[in-house]
Amino acid sequence: MLRFLIRRTVSAALILLVVSAVTYLLFFALPSDPALLACGKQCTPQLLATIRHNMGIDAPVPVQYWHFLVGVFSGRSFGAASCPAPCLGYSFVNGQPVLQTLLNRFPATASVALGAAVLVLTLGVGAGMIAALRRGKAADKVAMGLALIGASMQIYFFGIVVRYIFVDQLAWLPLPGYTSPGASLSGWAGGMLLPWITLAVVNVATYARFTRSSMLESLSEEYVRAVRAKGLGPWGVYVKHAWRGAMTPVVTMFGIDLGLFLGGALITETTFNIPGIGKLAVDSVADSDLPMMMGTVLAASTAMVLVNIAVDACYAVIDPRVRAL
Amino acid sequence: MTSLLADPPVPEAADPTAPPQGRSPAKLAWRRFRRDRVGVASAAVVGLFFLVGLGAPVISWLYGKDPYTTYGQNQPGLLDDFGYPTGPMGGISGRFWLGVEPGLGRDVLMQLVYGIRTSLLISLAVVALVTLIGVLVGVVAGYAGGLVDYAVGRVIDVILCFPATLFFVAFIPVAQAAFVKPTQEVPTWLRAGTVVVVLTAFGWASTARLVRGQVLSLREREFVQSARVIGVSPARIVFRELLPNLWTPILISASLAVPAYVTTEAALSFLGAGMVEPTPDWGRMIQRGAQVYSADFSYMLFPGLAMLIFVLAFNLLGDSVRDALDPRSNR
């Protein structure tokens, strides 16, 4: 187990290195000059050079990337301002430190992600199980029909329709938004309700369909037939044996989705105006705020990589066949 | 409907003395598909969308309007003092079948119709490129094996680890800036082109992974082994032995990819990274609709519903295609 974790961590670090290098080289090789924008109308060549130096963009791009890496591990300085150890630089637009902004935005993103993940997993897997057990019956057809409609639904359309009907017209749901759970737990849950429901409806479908087909596949396996022949009751067959075998691919998919959610659900956060990492990413793209953009890409890929390691570790718990490896 | 069933039904057992005819796998799949009522109906819906997209200029000519003219601003009475349509449901009338756009006062139906073209052109281009590159890379990696396979596998891993939507949104303006000076406006074809290129750059990886896996298992099968033993050239093995066995998964994944890219393209336009004014585009319409939905809900509703119907029909069609081509798959 330890060797497995070490190997995965090393490969994760390599992937992050490649992702950050590609991102940096692509974005910072831009022909547009952020220093010129920051310099304003009364710009002199000396002032421009100073600003460029303070932004840390006066070296060739590969050297800049090296400085960026050094900054992440041992800190760096931008002109007079010094930036301690895990340094991701400062925003070109408002001068805020990138790391601090990301940390401030993370709770909103995590709230959306975790709530939606719980809903998606329970509803999706539950519906898929029921559909598999009642294969070909009415419950199966209804569940799969709904799942298909959900899978064809778009967050930015469905979310606003639900908001219009249930918030604006009927006033059954509170306005979507983010309040810190520390300040008001009910305000937090209320504001998150709409994003959770929307993300869940759109994603549940995939899980239901996937669980159903995976479950059907594992129900036809030899080992399930064996435990059936041994006289185990239906509950034991479905839940203890078939379900465990069926969950491995579902967990893989869940890992990818959770990683994506934690990296900032761009469309959901934009639709409901939630100040998370996804909204930050969209805004920083609109402002050409390169360090911030870089920060959000790094945050998102880190989330992805970390969740995937966690998921791989979970296999051992779910599927006893993996443990032998 | 008749156009879809252009193939006249084969009269079965017309002549009992005739020798039984062998049926090709394609024929068998077609027979299975024709019996699938949901599949045929969704194919009709998808076909209708394609026809409307192709015939957009004809519809524009018959309907007497185009997607660019700001009717509401040119003619008094269509929009109220706040710029919202005066008629019911976003200004639906005999002249404007789906109403007029709030603010600019363009015709909603024509924007929807021309929006199909934008969506379909971009997504079909992406699917074609993704399939081509993915199959090429997948076959090479799977067949060559060894170091090539390892290298390709790691590249695929990295690409699938990129937060895709975020990267699309971030990279499309960058890609456009590489061609156009910041002061100039990006031409529409370049905008569409960068969307296609960026979506392709990340999309091929999953197709390549799928094809690679298939090739890996096919490579060890007897017919490929024996072809190799009798000295068949690698090119011939790939084209004559492997590819015919790969069509099914390739076709299935391509047919499921089209609706996925239609929605991705719309999402990018919704986030402001895809198509912009005045190009007719569903995502752009929904973005505008999301700003005005509380005053004019129908401007948001129509493009959303159009996309829902199209994507739903295409997903159903994809499922039916899979059932027809691969009857063993249980879904």
Side-chain angles (χ1 to χ4, degrees):
Chain A
M1 194 65 192
L2 190 66
R3 260 188 62 194
F4 164 82
L5 279 181
I6 290 171
R7 211 175 59 214
R8 283 308 309 255
T9 314
V10 170
S11 85
L14 277 178
I15 285 182
L16 282 183
L17 197 68
V18 174
V19 168
S20 72
V22 171
T23 314
Y24 201 99
L25 295 184
L26 285 177
F27 290 156
F28 282 77
L30 252 181
S32 83
D33 190 347
L36 204 59
L37 288 175
C39 200
K41 275 184 185 152
Q42 275 103 36
C43 195
T44 60
Q46 289 95 330
L47 187 57
L48 190 65
T50 319
I51 290 178
R52 233 177 233 145
H53 180 70
N54 287 352
M55 282 180 162
I57 53 170
D58 52 350
V61 175
V63 181
Q64 283 182 43
Y65 177 63
W66 173 247
H67 288 161
F68 175 81
L69 278 187
V70 170
V72 171
F73 290 104
S74 63
R76 67 192 282 201
S77 63
F78 292 91
S82 79
C83 178
C87 171
L88 295 177
Y90 293 93
S91 160
F92 282 171
V93 173
N94 53 22
Q96 294 296 312
V98 171
L99 185 69
Q100 196 52 48
T101 314
L102 285 175
L103 290 177
N104 291 344
R105 298 288 194 116
F106 186 68
T109 290
S111 307
V112 175
L114 295 178
V118 169
L119 270 183
V120 165
L121 204 57
T122 46
L123 293 180
V125 172
M129 292 274 287
I130 291 171
L133 298 189
R134 301 236 166 278
R135 187 184 186 185
K137 306 246 176 67
D140 178 22
K141 285 184 176 146
V142 168
M144 287 303 107
L146 286 178
L148 202 67
I149 295 176
S152 308
M153 203 78 94
Q154 301 307 306
I155 295 171
Y156 43 88
F157 172 59
F158 180 70
I160 290 170
V161 170
V162 173
R163 176 173 176 163
Y164 179 72
I165 296 172
F166 293 101
V167 179
D168 296 3
Q169 297 295 315
L170 299 173
W172 287 358
L173 296 177
L175 265 178
Y178 178 71
T179 347
S180 164
S184 155
L185 201 60
S186 62
W188 170 78
M192 283 293 131
L193 210 53
L194 207 46
W196 285 343
I197 294 173
T198 310
L199 256 183
V201 165
V202 172
N203 287 292
V204 151
T206 333
Y207 284 82
R209 279 157 68 96
F210 206 53
T211 306
R212 177 177 178 274
S213 67
S214 181
M215 199 55 197
L216 286 177
E217 204 168 293
S218 95
L219 278 175
S220 66
E221 295 242 15
E222 294 281 314
Y223 73 90
V224 171
R225 207 146 50 121
V227 291
R228 248 193 205 136
K230 277 181 172 174
L232 201 64
W235 185 252
V237 171
Y238 291 136
V239 176
K240 278 196 77 176
H241 293 272
W243 185 69
R244 279 185 148 197
M247 275 301 98
T248 321
V250 177
V251 167
T252 312
M253 188 164 77
F254 179 69
I256 293 172
D257 280 347
L258 185 64
L260 279 179
F261 290 171
L262 280 176
L266 272 83
I267 298 170
T268 314
E269 288 177 12
T270 308
T271 305
F272 296 113
N273 212 1
I274 288 166
I277 290 176
K279 186 83 174 66
L280 179 69
V282 175
D283 291 345
S284 60
V285 169
D287 300 338
S288 316
D289 190 350
L290 298 180
M292 206 58 106
M293 220 146 81
M294 182 75 194
T296 54
V297 170
L298 266 187
S301 13
T302 310
M304 187 83 138
V305 166
L306 287 183
V307 171
N308 272 318
I309 294 182
V311 163
D312 283 354
C314 282
Y315 285 156
V317 179
I318 299 170
D319 192 343
R321 285 172 299 184
V322 177
R323 251 175 275 167
L325 295 178
Chain B
M1 287 297 271
T2 41
S3 65
L4 284 156
L5 302 170
D7 226 8
V10 189
E12 277 177 74
D15 181 9
T17 55
Q21 282 196 328
R23 293 197 186 99
S24 71
K27 258 195 192 134
L28 283 173
W30 173 242
R31 283 169 62 91
R32 274 194 293 270
F33 181 76
R34 240 174 22 191
R35 266 193 239 116
D36 186 349
R37 265 183 301 170
V38 176
V40 171
S42 48
V45 173
V46 169
L48 186 72
F49 271 89
F50 271 83
L51 271 183
V52 168
L54 276 176
V58 182
I59 296 173
S60 168
W61 176 68
L62 287 174
Y63 181 60
K65 289 173 205 69
D66 66 73
Y68 301 105
T69 310
T70 52
Y71 300 98
Q73 294 187 339
N74 303 345
Q75 298 163 23
L78 285 173
L79 299 177
D80 63 15
D81 294 344
F82 305 101
Y84 290 110
T86 45
M89 283 286 282
I92 288 182
S93 64
R95 283 192 57 220
F96 299 96
W97 294 359
L98 292 182
V100 289
E101 179 187 357
L104 289 172
R106 292 176 293 196
D107 183 69
V108 173
L109 178 65
M110 279 330 292
Q111 285 196 62
L112 271 183
V113 165
Y114 273 89
I116 297 178
R117 294 190 135 197
T118 318
S119 290
L120 277 183
L121 273 180
I122 291 181
S123 57
L124 290 180
V126 174
V127 170
L129 285 174
V130 158
T131 309
L132 192 72
I133 299 175
V135 170
L136 201 71
V137 174
V139 167
V140 168
Y143 190 71
L147 204 62
V148 177
D149 186 27
Y150 181 79
V152 169
R154 295 296 80 72
V155 171
I156 291 176
D157 280 351
V158 169
I159 286 182
L160 293 180
C161 250
F162 269 97
T165 319
L166 173 51
F167 212 81
F168 295 151
V169 171
F171 189 61
I172 285 172
V174 176
Q176 284 162 357
F179 293 101
V180 178
K181 291 197 193 84
T183 47
Q184 288 175 327
E185 200 161 312
V186 182
T188 308
W189 63 266
L190 184 65
R191 235 171 235 294
T194 39
V195 171
V196 170
V197 168
V198 172
L199 288 183
T200 308
F202 285 88
W204 64 269
S206 51
T207 313
R209 174 172 278 191
L210 173 83
V211 172
R212 174 187 165 270
Q214 297 280 332
V215 171
L216 276 186
S217 72
L218 283 175
R219 199 177 61 172
E220 307 304 325
R221 296 269 289 275
E222 288 87 350
F223 64 95
V224 179
Q225 301 263 329
S226 50
R228 209 179 293 165
V229 167
I230 59 171
V232 174
S233 72
R236 203 184 146 88
I237 291 183
V238 166
F239 284 105
R240 300 300 294 271
E241 310 292 341
L242 293 178
L243 270 187
N245 286 294
L246 289 172
W247 280 124
T248 303
I250 292 171
L251 215 63
I252 291 170
S253 97
S255 73
L256 291 172
V258 174
Y261 282 113
V262 165
T263 59
T264 311
E265 189 273 326
L268 289 182
S269 300
F270 175 79
L271 292 173
M275 306 311 283
V276 293
E277 293 281 2
T279 314
D281 180 271
W282 291 353
R284 204 212 73 219
M285 288 177 81
I286 296 177
Q287 183 198 31
R288 174 80 182 121
Q291 293 161 0
V292 297
Y293 76 93
S294 51
D296 182 8
F297 186 61
S298 56
Y299 187 67
M300 156 103 217
L301 191 65
F302 290 129
L305 278 183
M307 195 153 81
L308 176 64
I309 293 170
F310 178 71
V311 172
L312 186 62
F314 221 119
N315 280 336
L316 283 169
L317 178 65
D319 280 353
S320 297
V321 168
R322 176 175 46 194
D323 290 348
L325 288 176
D326 185 8
R328 282 165 308 165
S329 73
N330 56 9
R331 61 176 178 93

